[in-house]
Amino acid sequence: MIIGIGVDVVDTERFRGVLERTPALRTRLFTPAEQLRDGAPRPVTSLAARFAAKEALIKAFGSSAGLSWQELEVVADDQRNPSLTLHEGARRVAADRGVTNVHLSLSHDGGIATAFVVIEGGGA
C-alpha cells in the first residue's frame, strides 16, 4: 500500500551557486560516498538530484521530524540505478511509520534535477 509520495525539483545552476558560496554545505547535506563518483568529485547536477531525492523523501514522510541529511543516502547499484538507504534515525522513523519499501526515480536535464519518491507500507 502506498503511504506517501514526494517530488522535488532543483535548479542546478542555483544549487551550484549555493554550494560555491557555502562550501561546508556539501559535507552537511551529503555523505562522503555521495560526494564522490569513481573517486572524483560528483558533478553538481548529480548532487542536485541527490538533494532533490532527500527533499522528496521528506515530503513523502510528511515531515522532517527525526530525519538528518546524513541519514538519508542515495546509493546506486552496479547498473547505476539509484535507491535511498536509510540509516539510524531515518530507519527508525520509517519503521515507526510502517515503511517497508522506498522507490526512487532521479533525472537531471535542461538545468533542472528532479526526484520522485514513493514509500510503501504493509497494510491492507
Side-chain angles (χ1 to χ4, degrees):
M1 169 174 87
I2 293 174
I3 59 176
I5 60 170
V7 64
D8 195 64
V9 296
V10 175
D11 180 307
T12 55
E13 284 308 307
R14 183 170 180 239
F15 191 71
R16 178 188 317 277
V18 169
L19 291 178
E20 288 172 356
R21 283 190 305 279
T22 314
L25 198 56
R26 188 180 296 253
T27 56
R28 181 174 165 234
L29 296 174
F30 304 106
T31 66
E34 287 176 309
Q35 294 178 49
L36 299 174
R37 182 171 69 195
D38 301 328
R42 190 174 294 278
V44 170
T45 54
S46 184
L47 289 175
R50 280 158 173 71
F51 178 73
K54 294 177 185 202
E55 285 283 322
L57 180 64
I58 289 167
K59 290 173 182 176
F61 276 145
S63 166
S64 63
L67 301 174
S68 153
W69 296 111
Q70 292 289 318
E71 293 176 350
L72 311 174
E73 184 175 33
V74 178
V75 298
D77 65 16
D78 58 355
Q79 301 296 310
R80 295 197 184 212
N81 297 313
S83 63
L84 276 157
T85 297
L86 308 181
H87 301 285
E88 301 168 18
R91 191 178 311 131
R92 284 189 298 277
V93 168
D96 289 348
R97 295 181 182 174
V99 175
T100 57
N101 290 303
V102 177
H103 305 278
L104 171 64
S105 180
L106 298 177
S107 184
H108 50 79
D109 188 33
I112 299 292
T114 305
F116 187 80
V117 171
V118 175
I119 55 175
E120 288 184 292

